[in-house]
Amino acid sequence: MADQLLEKVRDAFEGQIDFEGQRLAELLTTVLLGAAGIIAFIVGFFTQDIYKTLWIGLGGTALAFVAVVPPWPFYNKNSVTWLPPHNAISGLDIEVDGRKVN
Amino acid sequence: MHSTLVRAQNVFGLFTTVAFCVATAIALSVLISPQEPSASIKLRNVQVVRGRPHYYSQKKEEYAHIKFDLDADLSSLFNWNTKQVFLYITATYPSLKASEPPSQVIIWDAILPSSSAPWHENHYIHPNPKNSKTRSKTTSLSPYPAGEIHLSNQRPKYQITDMSGKLQNRTDVVLELGWNVQPWVGALTWINWQDVGAWKGLKGGKSDIFTFPETKRKDVDLGTAKGGEGNRGKPA
């Protein structure tokens, strides 16, 4: 019981996502942060207000953190389908020094 | 990007890169912001008196006390990346030996904040013009836009002396304006006399040549700026 609970906590903490989710997270990080930087500079430059640059940049970064860091459900839509488990030992034919080993 | 920790590290790592790139862009954007500062300094009055560097000193030195007029329009130094401009006036005079470089001493300075700088007690508060009708001592706002200065018969903040202790009858003294633009991000820039790209050199900014006169009696009031102005930069 305690082990299962611990497992759940660990899963939530690790927040693993599938391979497609990782690709999406990578893309989102680049796009969000890049766009935040570019927009922050342009807005600040044309309004001649450096505080706008600062806050837009920090806001965009906060948004990127919220969007990417937690294991949102849309990162786990393409879960890996593992091959079905089978009893490995029964089907095996191992010979050691000409004798069958079970 | 498989786990929370790795994603957090990745986002933060890219954030530092983006922040550095934006900061670089801001620092470089200053170069295309045109500057055309102009200023005129006039000597109003100069006196040399003998005095002691401090109360218990045995040594007497000569101190020059220079009053001046300053009309400056430095508003083009204030762009979106300017935090403050440190403005100063130096008195420059040749050394006694020709082989030594001339002496340069600051007689007055001021920290001019930009509109984006938060309030600080050391910021310069421009005095109200004498003929203005709205004279209020309580206002902490400059009567002129940032970078515009109109001082008449201004007392020096610092009385100056020489290494040798002798200042009277020294010739070829000139008052010069100087500044240091301190940006939010990027490089500090000092006064430029030549045109550099979009930045025009300072027009004017030097007084006529004058001579330090003979010493006066020592009981002459030096009249150096006192009060909040005179105490700036000293520990409370």
Side-chain angles (χ1 to χ4, degrees), chain A residues 1 3-4 6 10-11 16 28 30 36 40 49 60-61 64 71-72 81 84 90 102:
Chain A
M1 185 65 195
D3 275 0
Q4 277 182 341
L6 214 63
R10 211 188 63 199
D11 276 357
Q16 302 225 343
L28 267 179
T30 317
D49 184 352
T61 307
W72 296 113
T81 46
S90 63
N102 192 5

Side-chain angles (χ1 to χ4, degrees), chain A residues 12-17 22 25-26 29-30 33-34 37 41 44-45 48-51 53 58 61 64-65 68-71, chain B residues 1-5 7-12 14-15 18 22 25-26 29-30 32-33 78-81 116-118 184-185:
Chain A
F13 184 74
E14 280 188 354
Q16 302 225 343
I17 57 178
Q22 291 180 35
E26 188 93 48
T29 313
T30 317
L33 284 174
F41 178 80
F45 185 75
Q48 291 285 295
D49 184 352
I50 201 159
Y51 284 99
T53 303
L58 288 180
T61 307
F65 264 97
V68 172
V69 174
Chain B
M1 304 288 267
H2 61 282
S3 72
T4 305
L5 187 63
R7 286 195 296 275
Q9 282 176 331
N10 271 318
V11 174
F12 185 76
L14 189 60
F15 160 69
V18 169
V22 171
I26 294 171
S29 76
V30 170
I32 60 164
S33 155
F78 291 87
N79 53 50
W80 74 310
N81 190 24
S116 57
W184 288 109
V185 283

Side-chain angles (χ1 to χ4, degrees), chain A residues 32-46:
Chain A
L32 282 176
L33 284 174
I38 292 167
I39 291 170
F41 178 80
I42 289 174
V43 169
F45 185 75
F46 285 104

Side-chain angles (χ1 to χ4, degrees), chain B residues 23 98 145 172 185 216 226:
Chain B
D172 297 327
V185 283
K216 296 231 170 187
K226 289 188 180 77

